[in-house]
């Protein structure tokens, strides 16, 4: 095959971007969910070896990132009161 | 007319220029409008300094829309209080005074945590679920450009929308191992259930006149079946045991040569009990009776396979799987073919079973929600089971708290618990910081005890003191811990006010008491 997968730095960068954009959600439940899922899925795929599988995973990550970018903006546009479990000051 | 400084208007002009991006139609439309506006403003010249000042002014316009539901909640509680106080003035009987004093007590039971938000935790996932942002992302393009009618087959606008519809249909079918051709989009599970119960019965009415269902079905199946009685059908409502499960022998005994349909829900919406669908499917297939299951609460949450389980008809609702509200589907088997009379007559869309133009944004959102249910199955299942175990353990640590429904045959995301000697409605009122329900959404408006819990053989008191907790994809550990703490505290508080509880503490057997009055 010889397909060239993303470098380690590229993967790390994608991970950081996913976390950063998850944090931008104004909605507590969505924010926590995307943080949890981003961490979970990177951990689960940590030991991927097959280069095609890595490329597929990376591309899916890029798609997810673009969804997160758009939807975190929407979450900031239409806001609601904070939940009873959310501290008011110093919250993200 | 338009008033304002010249600079301001120029700024507005500039920002509306920003708005017209790449859509040709909007572009031309807006340009025409802007030019008209500006022509009426004698000579507008651009002074760069003024422009940048104005740009700032325009940028100051807040884009955020904040929804304050506290205001709505306050309004409702005021209405309730007013109603209580006026009725109190009219006739100050003892019981009403008691209600008033207990509602004062409730105010004490509900303590606001300063330094935290005020919006309640959402724990009513059986009523509906939040729309997943990824679902919304799929839907957006149908509101911004993909507006063709999917049934228009003479131009590209129709084709492109139709392509998205078929993609969604495949996602919906894949989750239950069906063929996309077997999926009919409807407005929701209520419509799907009605289509089946009325449609199958009417189609076969010349030779068959009997329908079997259960006592714990959702209201829409029960009511649809009841209305078929008026059309001359006989209905058997199967009883359930104390665990909420039907007896398979009982089902076998009740099948007659004239039975056309057996309808048994997969997961119950109030108690989360999972019926033995595979076994029921086998029995129905052997007896050549159509088997319908209402899978509104089960679809995507437990593994379902229409072929392995011999299911002929299956109802699905999108808003229970983080999709949009107002859409659902019906699976109708093609081989062996199930025939039914449509409820709606019209253009013959959806294999002629459900006429009317589809709602592409909803269908596509529903499809994406189904795809996500498949993609996230492992993760969701693990997360929900963990939270459910934690919650169940925490709640059952309360004295005299019992889990309703089978402990083993259940969907973990629905936990229904009765707290004896506490009235469910009072507890709900004391729990304004948690969004819960004392039963299904449709019956919780009335104060009647749940018919589902009655069917399980629970007495009025226990049925009244039950609360349903729904856990989903977006529920967090933190929320569950908050809920456990709040319930434990407030059940204790309400029991301290209860004379019954006092008697129980003193060791008096409540059943031995002769109650006077009603
Ligand atoms: C088991 C069951 N069937 C049917 C429905 C109704 O679904 P819909 O709101 O899509 O009509 C519900 C939801 O309340 C349900 O829980």
């Amino acid at each position: 095959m010889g397909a060239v997968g993303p470098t380690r730095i590229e993967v790390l960068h994608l991970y950081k971007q996913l976390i950063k954009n998850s944090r931008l959600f104004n909605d507590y439940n969505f924010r926590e969910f995307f943080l949890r899922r981003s961490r979970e899925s990177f951990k689960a795929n940590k030991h991927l070896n097959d280069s095609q599988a890595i490329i597929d995973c990376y591309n899916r990550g890029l798609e997810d990132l673009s969804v997160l970018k758009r939807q975190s903006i929407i979450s900031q546009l239409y806001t609601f009161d904070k939940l009873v479990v959310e501290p008011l000051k110093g919250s993200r | 007319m338009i008033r304002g400084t010249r600079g301001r208007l120029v700024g507005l002009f500039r920002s509306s220029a920003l708005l017209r991006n790449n859509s040709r139609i909007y572009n031309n439309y807006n340009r025409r409008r802007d030019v008209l506006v500006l022509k009426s403003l004698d000579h507008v010249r651009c002074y760069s300094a003024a422009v940048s000042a104005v740009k700032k002014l325009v940028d100051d316009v807040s884009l955020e829309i904040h929804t304050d539901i506290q205001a709505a909640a306050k309004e409702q509680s005021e209405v309730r209080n007013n109603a209580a106080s006026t009725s109190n003035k009219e006739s100050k009987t003892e019981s009403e005074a008691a209600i008033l004093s207990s509602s004062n007590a409730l105010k004490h039971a509900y303590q606001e945590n300063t330094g935290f938000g005020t919006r309640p935790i959402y724990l009513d996932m059986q009523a509906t679920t939040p729309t997943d942002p990824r679902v919304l992302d799929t839907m957006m393009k149908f509101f911004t450009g993909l507006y063709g009618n999917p049934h228009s087959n003479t131009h590209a606008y129709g084709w492109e929308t139709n392509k998205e519809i078929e993609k969604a249909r495949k996602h919906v079918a894949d989750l239950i191992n069906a063929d996309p051709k077997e999926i009919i989009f409807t407005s929701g599970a209520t419509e799907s259930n009605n289509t089946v119960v009325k449609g199958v019965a009417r189609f076969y009415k010349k030779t068959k006149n009997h329908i079997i269902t259960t006592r714990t079905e959702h209201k829409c199946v029960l009511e649809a079946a009841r209305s078929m009685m008026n059309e001359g059908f006989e209905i058997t409502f199967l009883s359930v045991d104390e665990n909420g499960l039907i007896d398979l022998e009982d089902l076998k005994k009740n099948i007659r040569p004239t039975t056309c349909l057996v309808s048994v829900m997969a997961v119950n919406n109030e108690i989360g009990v999972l019926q033995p669908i595979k076994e029921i499917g086998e029995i129905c297939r052997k007896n050549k009776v159509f088997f319908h299951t209402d899978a509104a609460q089960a679809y995507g949450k437990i593994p379902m396979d229409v072929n392995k389980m011999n299911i002929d008809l299956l109802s699905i609702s999108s808003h229970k799987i983080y999709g949009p509200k107002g859409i659902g589907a019906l699976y109708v088997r093609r081989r062996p073919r199930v025939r039914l009379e449509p409820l709606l007559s019209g253009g013959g869309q959806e294999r002629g079973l459900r006429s009317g133009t589809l709602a592409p944004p909803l269908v596509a959102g529903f499809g994406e929600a189904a795809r996500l249910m498949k993609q996230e199955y492992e993760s969701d299942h693990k997360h929900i089971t963990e939270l459910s175990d934690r919650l169940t353990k925490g709640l059952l640590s309360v004295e005299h708290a019992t889990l309703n429904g089978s402990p083993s045959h259940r969907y973990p995301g629905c936990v229904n618990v009765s707290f004896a000697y506490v009235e469910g409605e009072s507890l709900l009122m004391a729990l304004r910081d948690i969004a819960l329900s004392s039963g299904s959404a449709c019956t919780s408006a009335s104060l009647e005890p749940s018919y589902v819990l009655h069917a399980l053989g629970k007495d009025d008191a226990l049925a009244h003191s039950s609360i349903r907790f729904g856990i989903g994809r977006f529920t967090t550990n933190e929320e569950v811990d908050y809920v456990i703490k709040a319930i434990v505290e407030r059940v204790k508080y309400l029991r301290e006010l209860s004379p019954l509880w006092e008697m129980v503490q003193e060791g008096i057997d409540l059943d031995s008491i002769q109650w006077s009055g009603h």
Side-chain angles (χ1 to χ4, degrees), chain B residues 293-452:
Chain B
T293 184
D294 176 359
Q297 301 288 351
Y299 179 78
K301 298 175 185 170
I302 56 161
M304 297 209 70
D305 183 322
V306 288
N307 295 319
K308 279 199 196 123
M309 295 176 164
N310 289 317
I311 296 168
D312 297 308
L313 300 128
L314 182 144
S315 305
I316 310 170
S317 180
S318 149
H319 69 103
K320 314 278 183 193
I321 57 163
Y322 315 97
K325 295 165 188 51
I327 182 102
L330 175 62
Y331 159 80
V332 183
R333 179 176 288 284
R334 297 211 309 164
R335 261 184 297 262
R337 187 159 172 213
V338 182
R339 316 201 50 180
L340 47 138
E341 209 178 280
L343 289 185
L344 305 179
S345 319
Q349 290 95 343
E350 301 294 288
R351 284 169 58 194
L353 294 177
R354 209 284 185 177
S355 288
T357 301
L358 285 173
L362 302 184
V363 170
F366 179 22
E368 176 70 2
R371 189 186 72 80
L372 289 171
M373 285 311 272
K374 192 166 184 183
Q375 180 189 305
E376 307 275 311
Y377 182 79
E378 302 281 318
S379 160
D380 278 354
H381 183 74
K382 184 168 152 282
H383 181 68
I384 290 171
T385 309
E386 270 172 24
L387 291 188
S388 171
D389 289 348
R390 192 188 185 102
L391 182 69
T392 314
K393 211 166 127 237
L395 295 179
L396 294 185
S397 71
V398 175
E399 266 182 280
H400 298 281
T402 46
L403 182 71
N404 292 316
S406 164
S408 50
H409 294 82
R410 61 162 47 252
Y411 164 62
C414 179
V415 179
N416 191 313
V417 178
S418 283
F419 299 95
Y421 318 114
V422 178
E423 218 229 331
E425 296 287 330
S426 318
L427 188 51
L428 286 184
M429 273 207 258
L431 288 168
R432 271 183 295 161
D433 46 350
I434 307 170
L436 289 165
S437 140
S438 60
S440 66
C442 57
T443 45
S444 63
S446 65
L447 291 179
E448 265 174 50
S450 145
Y451 65 89
V452 173

Side-chain angles (χ1 to χ4, degrees), chain B residues 126 188-190 193 218 220 265 267 269 294 296-297 317 319-320:
Chain B
Q126 274 68 42
T190 301
N193 289 338
H218 191 266
C220 59
M265 73 197 324
V267 170
N269 52 314
D294 176 359
Q297 301 288 351
S317 180
H319 69 103
K320 314 278 183 193

Side-chain angles (χ1 to χ4, degrees), chain A residues 28-30 32-34 36-37 40 67 70-71 76-88, chain B residues 64-68 115-120 131 133-134 136-137 376 379 383 473-474 476 478-479:
Chain A
Y28 163 83
N29 295 91
F30 294 158
E32 295 293 320
F33 170 75
F34 286 117
R36 172 168 68 81
R37 282 298 287 143
E40 255 176 28
V67 173
R70 288 190 294 272
Q71 290 301 313
Q76 290 166 45
L77 290 178
Y78 300 90
T79 60
F80 299 88
D81 295 344
K82 295 272 175 230
L83 289 191
V84 290
V85 287
E86 280 181 283
L88 283 180
Chain B
E64 184 189 326
I65 294 182
H66 187 79
T67 305
D68 177 8
F116 286 85
T118 49
R119 194 163 160 79
T131 312
R134 292 167 289 184
L136 178 62
D137 199 61
E376 307 275 311
S379 160
H383 181 68
R473 181 184 286 170
F474 298 105
T476 66
E478 227 176 340
E479 288 178 314

